[in-house]
Amino acid sequence: MIDSANLRYTKLPLNNGSSFIPALGFGTLIPDPVATRMATKAALEAGFRALDTAERYGTEKEVGEGMKEVFEAGKVKREDVFVATKLWNTNHRPERVKPAFEASLKKLQVDYVDLYLIHTPFAFQPGDVHDPRDANGKVIYDTGVTLLDTWGALEQLVMEGKCKAIGLSDVGIARVKEIFEAASIKPALVHVESHPYLPEWELLAYCRANGIVLQAFAALGHSSEPNLLADPIITAIANRVGKTPAQVALAWAIQRGTALLTTTKTPGRIQENFDISALPEDAMREINEEIKSQVRFNSVVETGVPGFIPRAK
Ligand SMILES: NC(=O)c1ccc[n+]([C@@H]2O[C@H](COP(=O)([O-])OP(=O)(O)OC[C@H]3O[C@@H](n4cnc5c(N)ncnc54)[C@H](OP(=O)(O)O)[C@@H]3O)[C@@H](O)[C@H]2O)c1
């Protein structure tokens, strides 16, 4: 249920029956480790209660340190923060899932996570090299494991009480259906790029119909061109309602029923991105109907190779 007066505190129910995810989430794909720790701390202090990280971002340790400082200062309790991380492509073989998961818990300094996602549906050659390539520079995929095999290993983690919910990331609707139909524990959440230039209405409708939360990453368009925050429809609404373009894009995402992730290493923007309020109906309609641009900024869904992470390891 969206409470317009308290948009920033919106929580969406998860289909595991026992938990909710705060719709307004903070992502930690920040290259600099010190900035990651500071931003994690500042985000929690500003009021964000959902954090997203991943083995592949290399930020779990700093996110763990940032959380720990805030927990130890007594400002926020662990149980009040929704912590999500992700299994990387090189760990899709079922026997690699639990060790990878436990390594993530250790780096995050937590006993459980609220959500564990399969980062992409593409299995890469198992091993310690995150981005395995052949002599021609081509990604080495692993054809010896299916997404459903990996999903089964995540289900096991839920049964062992180590994570509360599991989900998929960087998937199209066909993959979501495949897992939803075959799974014993259904995906609680689907995490994909989404913003006014990529609204993913069909996927959102499928998720809604099946009790799955759609979580939008790059909710502000990842500072990429064409610049969503300079879109004339967004800026006109921002001027009309006395908010910034970023606040308009974030409010739109929650009001249409998705969870979202936004990221900033800039302290003032952390506050700005938390300080959102509901848009009038005409503004929602303008964004939904009058923005015609269709842009995908991150091609990870096509190859499993992350578009926003510099190539390393
Ligand atoms: N599963 C995946 O494949 C995947 C892929 C990408 C992202 N993600 C997750 O989703 C999170 C969010 O994605 P994203 O980083 O692309 O989010 P985003 O919020 O769309 O983009 C972040 C960029 O927007 C800028 N920004 C933030 N707030 C702003 C504001 N109020 N005004 C103007 N610019 C602003 C930031 O700049 P400054 O930092 O310089 O302030 C940064 O360059 C990531 O951290 C990660 O957790 C997942």
Short mmCIF file of all heavy atoms in Angstrom, two decimals, residues 87-102 116 118 123-124 126 142-157 160:
data_model
loop_
_atom_site.label_atom_id
_atom_site.label_comp_id
_atom_site.label_asym_id
_atom_site.label_seq_id
_atom_site.Cartn_x
_atom_site.Cartn_y
_atom_site.Cartn_z
N LEU A 87 24.94 -13.35 -5.46
CA LEU A 87 25.85 -14.44 -5.86
C LEU A 87 26.44 -14.10 -7.23
O LEU A 87 25.68 -13.82 -8.18
CB LEU A 87 25.04 -15.74 -5.96
CG LEU A 87 25.80 -16.97 -6.43
CD1 LEU A 87 26.57 -17.59 -5.26
CD2 LEU A 87 24.83 -18.01 -7.02
N TRP A 88 27.77 -14.18 -7.37
CA TRP A 88 28.35 -13.83 -8.67
C TRP A 88 28.30 -15.02 -9.65
O TRP A 88 28.18 -16.19 -9.26
CB TRP A 88 29.78 -13.25 -8.50
CG TRP A 88 30.35 -12.83 -9.82
CD1 TRP A 88 31.51 -13.25 -10.38
CD2 TRP A 88 29.74 -11.94 -10.77
NE1 TRP A 88 31.67 -12.66 -11.63
CE2 TRP A 88 30.60 -11.86 -11.89
CE3 TRP A 88 28.54 -11.22 -10.80
CZ2 TRP A 88 30.31 -11.08 -13.02
CZ3 TRP A 88 28.25 -10.45 -11.92
CH2 TRP A 88 29.13 -10.39 -13.01
N ASN A 89 28.43 -14.68 -10.92
CA ASN A 89 28.31 -15.63 -12.04
C ASN A 89 29.26 -16.82 -11.97
O ASN A 89 28.99 -17.87 -12.55
CB ASN A 89 28.61 -14.89 -13.36
CG ASN A 89 27.65 -13.75 -13.64
OD1 ASN A 89 26.70 -13.54 -12.89
ND2 ASN A 89 27.87 -13.01 -14.71
N THR A 90 30.41 -16.63 -11.31
CA THR A 90 31.41 -17.71 -11.24
C THR A 90 31.08 -18.71 -10.13
O THR A 90 31.80 -19.70 -9.97
CB THR A 90 32.80 -17.12 -10.97
OG1 THR A 90 32.68 -16.19 -9.88
CG2 THR A 90 33.34 -16.39 -12.19
N ASN A 91 29.99 -18.46 -9.41
CA ASN A 91 29.63 -19.34 -8.29
C ASN A 91 28.28 -20.02 -8.50
O ASN A 91 27.60 -20.35 -7.52
CB ASN A 91 29.64 -18.53 -6.98
CG ASN A 91 31.07 -18.17 -6.59
OD1 ASN A 91 31.97 -19.00 -6.73
ND2 ASN A 91 31.28 -16.94 -6.14
N HIS A 92 27.86 -20.21 -9.75
CA HIS A 92 26.54 -20.80 -10.01
C HIS A 92 26.47 -22.30 -9.71
O HIS A 92 25.39 -22.83 -9.50
CB HIS A 92 26.13 -20.55 -11.46
CG HIS A 92 25.51 -19.21 -11.67
ND1 HIS A 92 24.53 -18.98 -12.62
CD2 HIS A 92 25.71 -18.02 -11.07
CE1 HIS A 92 24.17 -17.70 -12.58
NE2 HIS A 92 24.88 -17.10 -11.66
N ARG A 93 27.60 -22.98 -9.74
CA ARG A 93 27.55 -24.42 -9.44
C ARG A 93 27.03 -24.59 -8.02
O ARG A 93 27.54 -23.94 -7.09
CB ARG A 93 28.94 -25.03 -9.58
CG ARG A 93 29.48 -24.94 -11.00
CD ARG A 93 29.64 -26.30 -11.58
NE ARG A 93 29.86 -26.19 -13.01
CZ ARG A 93 30.09 -27.26 -13.78
NH1 ARG A 93 30.14 -28.47 -13.26
NH2 ARG A 93 30.24 -27.11 -15.08
N PRO A 94 26.03 -25.47 -7.82
CA PRO A 94 25.41 -25.57 -6.49
C PRO A 94 26.40 -25.71 -5.34
O PRO A 94 26.23 -25.10 -4.29
CB PRO A 94 24.49 -26.79 -6.61
CG PRO A 94 24.12 -26.80 -8.05
CD PRO A 94 25.33 -26.31 -8.80
N GLU A 95 27.47 -26.48 -5.55
CA GLU A 95 28.42 -26.69 -4.44
C GLU A 95 29.22 -25.42 -4.12
O GLU A 95 29.85 -25.32 -3.07
CB GLU A 95 29.36 -27.87 -4.73
CG GLU A 95 30.35 -27.68 -5.88
CD GLU A 95 29.77 -27.98 -7.27
OE1 GLU A 95 28.53 -28.11 -7.43
OE2 GLU A 95 30.58 -28.08 -8.23
N ARG A 96 29.17 -24.41 -4.99
CA ARG A 96 29.90 -23.16 -4.74
C ARG A 96 29.02 -22.10 -4.07
O ARG A 96 29.52 -21.06 -3.63
CB ARG A 96 30.45 -22.59 -6.07
CG ARG A 96 31.49 -23.48 -6.70
CD ARG A 96 32.02 -22.87 -8.00
NE ARG A 96 32.76 -21.63 -7.78
CZ ARG A 96 34.07 -21.57 -7.55
NH1 ARG A 96 34.79 -22.67 -7.51
NH2 ARG A 96 34.67 -20.40 -7.37
N VAL A 97 27.70 -22.37 -4.04
CA VAL A 97 26.78 -21.32 -3.56
C VAL A 97 26.96 -21.04 -2.07
O VAL A 97 27.13 -19.89 -1.67
CB VAL A 97 25.32 -21.70 -3.88
CG1 VAL A 97 24.33 -20.77 -3.18
CG2 VAL A 97 25.09 -21.66 -5.40
N LYS A 98 26.94 -22.10 -1.26
CA LYS A 98 27.02 -21.86 0.19
C LYS A 98 28.36 -21.21 0.59
O LYS A 98 28.35 -20.22 1.34
CB LYS A 98 26.80 -23.17 0.95
CG LYS A 98 26.55 -22.97 2.41
CD LYS A 98 25.99 -24.23 3.03
CE LYS A 98 25.99 -24.17 4.52
NZ LYS A 98 25.44 -25.39 5.11
N PRO A 99 29.50 -21.69 0.09
CA PRO A 99 30.74 -20.99 0.44
C PRO A 99 30.75 -19.52 0.01
O PRO A 99 31.21 -18.65 0.75
CB PRO A 99 31.82 -21.80 -0.31
CG PRO A 99 31.21 -23.14 -0.54
CD PRO A 99 29.74 -22.94 -0.66
N ALA A 100 30.20 -19.24 -1.17
CA ALA A 100 30.15 -17.84 -1.64
C ALA A 100 29.26 -17.01 -0.72
O ALA A 100 29.60 -15.89 -0.32
CB ALA A 100 29.64 -17.77 -3.07
N PHE A 101 28.13 -17.61 -0.36
CA PHE A 101 27.18 -16.90 0.52
C PHE A 101 27.83 -16.63 1.88
O PHE A 101 27.75 -15.52 2.42
CB PHE A 101 25.93 -17.77 0.67
CG PHE A 101 24.92 -17.21 1.63
CD1 PHE A 101 24.07 -16.19 1.25
CD2 PHE A 101 24.83 -17.70 2.92
CE1 PHE A 101 23.15 -15.66 2.14
CE2 PHE A 101 23.91 -17.18 3.82
CZ PHE A 101 23.08 -16.16 3.43
N GLU A 102 28.49 -17.65 2.42
CA GLU A 102 29.11 -17.47 3.74
C GLU A 102 30.24 -16.44 3.71
O GLU A 102 30.42 -15.68 4.66
CB GLU A 102 29.54 -18.82 4.31
CG GLU A 102 28.29 -19.54 4.77
CD GLU A 102 28.49 -20.93 5.32
OE1 GLU A 102 29.57 -21.51 5.10
OE2 GLU A 102 27.54 -21.43 5.96
N TYR A 116 18.97 -12.60 -0.87
CA TYR A 116 20.14 -13.04 -1.65
C TYR A 116 19.66 -13.20 -3.08
O TYR A 116 18.67 -13.90 -3.35
CB TYR A 116 20.65 -14.37 -1.08
CG TYR A 116 22.07 -14.72 -1.49
CD1 TYR A 116 23.09 -13.77 -1.50
CD2 TYR A 116 22.40 -16.03 -1.85
CE1 TYR A 116 24.40 -14.11 -1.85
CE2 TYR A 116 23.70 -16.38 -2.19
CZ TYR A 116 24.70 -15.41 -2.19
OH TYR A 116 25.99 -15.75 -2.53
N ILE A 118 20.55 -13.99 -7.27
CA ILE A 118 21.49 -14.49 -8.29
C ILE A 118 21.78 -13.28 -9.17
O ILE A 118 20.86 -12.72 -9.80
CB ILE A 118 20.88 -15.64 -9.11
CG1 ILE A 118 20.51 -16.82 -8.20
CG2 ILE A 118 21.86 -16.08 -10.21
CD1 ILE A 118 19.89 -18.02 -8.92
N ALA A 123 25.97 -18.18 -16.14
CA ALA A 123 27.02 -18.85 -15.36
C ALA A 123 28.33 -18.67 -16.10
O ALA A 123 28.42 -18.92 -17.30
CB ALA A 123 26.69 -20.32 -15.21
N PHE A 124 29.36 -18.23 -15.36
CA PHE A 124 30.71 -18.11 -15.92
C PHE A 124 31.55 -19.27 -15.41
O PHE A 124 31.21 -19.91 -14.41
CB PHE A 124 31.37 -16.81 -15.45
CG PHE A 124 30.86 -15.53 -16.08
CD1 PHE A 124 29.81 -15.51 -16.99
CD2 PHE A 124 31.45 -14.31 -15.74
CE1 PHE A 124 29.35 -14.31 -17.55
CE2 PHE A 124 31.01 -13.11 -16.29
CZ PHE A 124 29.95 -13.12 -17.20
N PRO A 126 33.62 -21.50 -13.37
CA PRO A 126 33.81 -21.40 -11.93
C PRO A 126 35.27 -21.10 -11.58
O PRO A 126 36.18 -21.55 -12.29
CB PRO A 126 33.43 -22.80 -11.41
CG PRO A 126 32.94 -23.58 -12.56
CD PRO A 126 33.24 -22.85 -13.82
N ASP A 142 29.85 -21.11 -18.42
CA ASP A 142 29.81 -22.46 -17.86
C ASP A 142 28.49 -23.09 -18.30
O ASP A 142 27.42 -22.69 -17.83
CB ASP A 142 29.87 -22.35 -16.32
CG ASP A 142 29.79 -23.71 -15.64
OD1 ASP A 142 29.79 -24.73 -16.35
OD2 ASP A 142 29.73 -23.73 -14.39
N THR A 143 28.57 -24.07 -19.19
CA THR A 143 27.34 -24.68 -19.70
C THR A 143 26.93 -25.90 -18.86
O THR A 143 25.94 -26.55 -19.13
CB THR A 143 27.51 -25.12 -21.17
OG1 THR A 143 28.69 -25.92 -21.23
CG2 THR A 143 27.61 -23.93 -22.10
N GLY A 144 27.68 -26.16 -17.80
CA GLY A 144 27.42 -27.36 -16.99
C GLY A 144 26.46 -27.13 -15.83
O GLY A 144 26.35 -27.99 -14.95
N VAL A 145 25.79 -26.00 -15.81
CA VAL A 145 24.88 -25.73 -14.69
C VAL A 145 23.71 -24.90 -15.23
O VAL A 145 23.89 -24.06 -16.11
CB VAL A 145 25.64 -24.99 -13.54
CG1 VAL A 145 26.22 -23.67 -13.98
CG2 VAL A 145 24.77 -24.80 -12.32
N THR A 146 22.50 -25.20 -14.72
CA THR A 146 21.34 -24.41 -15.16
C THR A 146 20.97 -23.41 -14.07
O THR A 146 21.36 -23.57 -12.91
CB THR A 146 20.11 -25.30 -15.43
OG1 THR A 146 19.68 -25.84 -14.17
CG2 THR A 146 20.43 -26.42 -16.41
N LEU A 147 20.18 -22.43 -14.47
CA LEU A 147 19.74 -21.44 -13.49
C LEU A 147 18.92 -22.11 -12.39
O LEU A 147 19.00 -21.75 -11.22
CB LEU A 147 18.93 -20.34 -14.20
CG LEU A 147 18.59 -19.11 -13.37
CD1 LEU A 147 19.85 -18.40 -12.87
CD2 LEU A 147 17.74 -18.13 -14.18
N LEU A 148 18.15 -23.12 -12.80
CA LEU A 148 17.33 -23.83 -11.81
C LEU A 148 18.20 -24.60 -10.80
O LEU A 148 17.86 -24.67 -9.62
CB LEU A 148 16.34 -24.77 -12.52
CG LEU A 148 15.23 -25.35 -11.65
CD1 LEU A 148 14.39 -24.25 -10.98
CD2 LEU A 148 14.33 -26.26 -12.48
N ASP A 149 19.33 -25.15 -11.26
CA ASP A 149 20.26 -25.81 -10.32
C ASP A 149 20.72 -24.80 -9.26
O ASP A 149 20.76 -25.10 -8.07
CB ASP A 149 21.54 -26.30 -11.03
CG ASP A 149 21.30 -27.38 -12.08
OD1 ASP A 149 20.29 -28.10 -11.98
OD2 ASP A 149 22.15 -27.49 -13.00
N THR A 150 21.09 -23.63 -9.73
CA THR A 150 21.58 -22.59 -8.80
C THR A 150 20.47 -22.15 -7.86
O THR A 150 20.66 -21.99 -6.66
CB THR A 150 22.13 -21.38 -9.60
OG1 THR A 150 23.03 -21.87 -10.59
CG2 THR A 150 22.84 -20.39 -8.70
N TRP A 151 19.27 -22.00 -8.44
CA TRP A 151 18.12 -21.60 -7.62
C TRP A 151 17.89 -22.61 -6.48
O TRP A 151 17.62 -22.24 -5.33
CB TRP A 151 16.86 -21.46 -8.49
CG TRP A 151 15.72 -20.90 -7.71
CD1 TRP A 151 14.66 -21.58 -7.18
CD2 TRP A 151 15.55 -19.53 -7.32
NE1 TRP A 151 13.84 -20.72 -6.50
CE2 TRP A 151 14.36 -19.46 -6.57
CE3 TRP A 151 16.29 -18.37 -7.53
CZ2 TRP A 151 13.89 -18.27 -6.03
CZ3 TRP A 151 15.82 -17.18 -6.99
CH2 TRP A 151 14.64 -17.14 -6.24
N GLY A 152 18.02 -23.89 -6.80
CA GLY A 152 17.84 -24.94 -5.79
C GLY A 152 18.80 -24.74 -4.61
O GLY A 152 18.43 -24.95 -3.45
N ALA A 153 20.03 -24.32 -4.91
CA ALA A 153 21.01 -24.11 -3.84
C ALA A 153 20.64 -22.88 -3.00
O ALA A 153 20.87 -22.85 -1.79
CB ALA A 153 22.41 -23.95 -4.44
N LEU A 154 20.02 -21.89 -3.63
CA LEU A 154 19.55 -20.73 -2.86
C LEU A 154 18.36 -21.12 -1.98
O LEU A 154 18.24 -20.66 -0.84
CB LEU A 154 19.15 -19.57 -3.79
CG LEU A 154 20.23 -18.50 -4.01
CD1 LEU A 154 21.35 -19.04 -4.89
CD2 LEU A 154 19.66 -17.24 -4.62
N GLU A 155 17.49 -21.99 -2.51
CA GLU A 155 16.36 -22.45 -1.70
C GLU A 155 16.87 -23.13 -0.43
O GLU A 155 16.31 -22.96 0.66
CB GLU A 155 15.50 -23.43 -2.51
CG GLU A 155 14.74 -22.76 -3.63
CD GLU A 155 13.91 -23.73 -4.48
OE1 GLU A 155 14.31 -24.90 -4.62
OE2 GLU A 155 12.86 -23.32 -4.98
N GLN A 156 17.96 -23.88 -0.60
CA GLN A 156 18.55 -24.56 0.55
C GLN A 156 18.99 -23.55 1.62
O GLN A 156 18.80 -23.79 2.81
CB GLN A 156 19.75 -25.39 0.03
CG GLN A 156 20.30 -26.40 0.99
CD GLN A 156 19.25 -27.43 1.44
OE1 GLN A 156 18.45 -27.89 0.63
NE2 GLN A 156 19.25 -27.75 2.73
N LEU A 157 19.55 -22.44 1.20
CA LEU A 157 19.99 -21.41 2.16
C LEU A 157 18.79 -20.86 2.94
O LEU A 157 18.89 -20.61 4.14
CB LEU A 157 20.69 -20.25 1.44
CG LEU A 157 21.99 -20.55 0.71
CD1 LEU A 157 22.48 -19.30 -0.04
CD2 LEU A 157 23.07 -21.04 1.67
N GLU A 160 17.78 -23.33 5.51
CA GLU A 160 18.71 -23.36 6.65
C GLU A 160 18.63 -22.07 7.48
O GLU A 160 19.37 -21.91 8.44
CB GLU A 160 20.16 -23.54 6.13
CG GLU A 160 20.40 -24.92 5.56
CD GLU A 160 21.74 -25.03 4.81
OE1 GLU A 160 22.59 -24.15 4.97
OE2 GLU A 160 21.90 -26.02 4.07
#
